Amino acid sequence: MSSPVPPPSSLSHRVPDLGAMVLLLAVARHGSLGRAARDVGISQPAASSRIRSMERQLGVALLDRSPRGSRLTDAGALVTDWARRVVEAAEAFDAGAQALRDRRDSRLRVAASMTIAEYLLPGWLIALRADRPGTAVSLVAGNSAAVALRLLAGEADLGFVEGLSIPEGLDGTVIAHDRLVVVVAPSHPWARRGRLTPGELAATSLILREHGSGTRQVLDAALAVHGGLARPLLELSSTTAVKGAAESGAGPCVLSELALGEELSARRLVKVPVEGVRLRRQLRAVWPSGHRPTGPARDLLALTAREAAGP
């Protein structure tokens, strides 16, 4: 059985901070506390105070001060050599971290439910491109369950879903609202109905989106108290396919109002009001729990929040 690895020791309180080391290197480079102060962008009194604080912290004198300038003591020369290695390591660390940020910021992977992907995201991504022209964006559309799986698998940086709640393992925020509507072809008998009851809607075989879609989740929940959905007439995996089947006269369907603007204005489909049932839903941006979006994902999230707030 191997012995436990001891925790790393903490740095002594006598180790100066990085800024003090940078100042000491500037003094060594210029031979003058005043020029060193200007180099690092502070006043000469502040630089003098910082060097004295560093000397007290280390317990050794670092500079011999004279009217002709400041000269490193023997201890100061040794400390300067150590400080140079520390500063160079910090600069390498900073450059590496910047490279990681640049790589992160060079791409954005988005997963979105069908309605959001088709009718909202294109405008958001055009606006994002104006702020981040160098970011390559990939978008994968699927139902809300598939979006959650991609996020949890690390295959997307930000997701958008349209179900009743935030999927397990994710955090999120509401970015828009939507309403589901019942539509039929103009030749369908319901096209001439004033309105439907929830019971009639529940008892009718509909053209539906598949299980796992946000549209299906909302509809299932809304009609659960009215006997639940009848056996589907058709189950299809895309909004476009559902609309096409309804337009052909195959039967009624229930879809997002966002997806029906063109069909309703051209009267290829007719809206049928339903009384006594709530078919509104919230659209959400989501991400893995505890990992708030950063970089381009954070910017896209902020953009959707501004859009939701309106002018």
Side-chain angles (χ1 to χ4, degrees), residues 211-290:
H211 284 288
S213 74
T215 299
R216 184 68 174 267
Q217 291 174 22
V218 172
L219 189 58
D220 280 336
L223 296 181
V225 295
H226 301 285
L229 283 168
R231 184 175 180 178
L233 182 65
L234 291 170
E235 277 187 313
L236 302 171
S237 60
S238 81
T239 298
T240 301
V242 172
K243 287 193 292 186
E247 283 185 46
S248 73
C253 70
V254 181
L255 287 174
S256 163
E257 197 167 35
L258 290 171
L260 292 165
E262 183 181 338
E263 289 77 13
L264 292 174
S265 62
R267 287 198 59 81
R268 296 198 301 270
L269 289 171
V270 178
K271 189 186 303 185
V272 185
V274 183
E275 61 182 9
V277 63
R278 181 174 176 80
L279 294 176
R280 288 184 61 82
R281 61 181 178 175
Q282 296 174 323
L283 308 182
R284 293 180 174 86
V286 289
W287 55 88
S289 295

Side-chain angles (χ1 to χ4, degrees), residues 3-306:
S3 59
V5 177
S9 59
S10 59
L11 288 173
S12 164
H13 70 282
R14 291 188 178 276
V15 175
D17 65 67
L18 195 61
M21 296 187 202
V22 169
L23 175 60
L24 180 63
L25 292 176
V27 174
R29 191 164 56 250
H30 293 291
S32 163
L33 198 58
R35 287 197 294 272
R38 288 193 294 275
D39 191 2
V40 300
I42 60 177
S43 68
Q44 182 168 340
S48 180
S49 175
R50 193 156 197 178
I51 291 294
R52 291 189 186 282
S53 176
M54 190 178 181
E55 290 175 323
R56 287 194 299 272
Q57 188 176 9
L58 290 170
V60 296
L62 300 175
L63 299 180
D64 282 330
R65 300 162 178 84
S66 73
R68 293 187 301 277
S70 298
R71 183 179 62 83
L72 293 172
T73 64
D74 290 344
L78 188 58
V79 170
T80 299
D81 284 342
W82 295 338
R84 184 174 291 108
R85 292 198 289 268
V86 172
V87 171
E88 287 172 352
E91 289 171 345
F93 181 94
D94 187 39
Q98 183 60 52
L100 288 175
R101 289 192 294 271
D102 290 344
R103 187 172 69 179
R104 176 204 67 190
D105 293 352
S106 69
R107 67 171 188 175
L108 172 61
R109 301 168 302 165
V110 180
S113 58
M114 294 292 190
T115 300
I116 297 174
E118 291 183 43
Y119 301 100
L120 293 176
L121 259 172
W124 295 340
L125 294 180
I126 289 170
L128 179 69
R129 185 169 180 79
D131 294 333
R132 284 187 172 270
T135 298
V137 180
S138 62
L139 170 62
V140 176
N143 62 37
S144 294
V147 169
L149 290 175
R150 281 189 172 274
L151 285 165
L152 294 172
E155 297 172 357
D157 305 306
L158 187 64
F160 294 92
V161 297
E162 52 195 62
L164 289 169
S165 59
I166 299 173
E168 187 176 352
L170 303 180
D171 292 334
T173 186
V174 175
I175 48 93
H177 293 83
D178 185 25
R179 187 163 64 101
L180 300 183
V181 294
V182 179
V183 292
V184 296
S187 59
H188 192 278
W190 281 5
R192 294 175 291 281
R193 289 285 301 270
R195 60 184 58 248
L196 297 172
T197 67
E200 287 178 298
L201 183 61
T204 301
S205 292
L206 303 171
I207 305 166
L208 296 173
R209 283 289 307 276
E210 79 286 5
H211 284 288
S213 74
T215 299
R216 184 68 174 267
Q217 291 174 22
V218 172
L219 189 58
D220 280 336
L223 296 181
V225 295
H226 301 285
L229 283 168
R231 184 175 180 178
L233 182 65
L234 291 170
E235 277 187 313
L236 302 171
S237 60
S238 81
T239 298
T240 301
V242 172
K243 287 193 292 186
E247 283 185 46
S248 73
C253 70
V254 181
L255 287 174
S256 163
E257 197 167 35
L258 290 171
L260 292 165
E262 183 181 338
E263 289 77 13
L264 292 174
S265 62
R267 287 198 59 81
R268 296 198 301 270
L269 289 171
V270 178
K271 189 186 303 185
V272 185
V274 183
E275 61 182 9
V277 63
R278 181 174 176 80
L279 294 176
R280 288 184 61 82
R281 61 181 178 175
Q282 296 174 323
L283 308 182
R284 293 180 174 86
V286 289
W287 55 88
S289 295
H291 297 277
R292 186 81 181 178
T294 59
R298 176 198 58 219
D299 292 350
L300 179 57
L301 181 60
L303 192 153
T304 64
R306 291 197 301 270

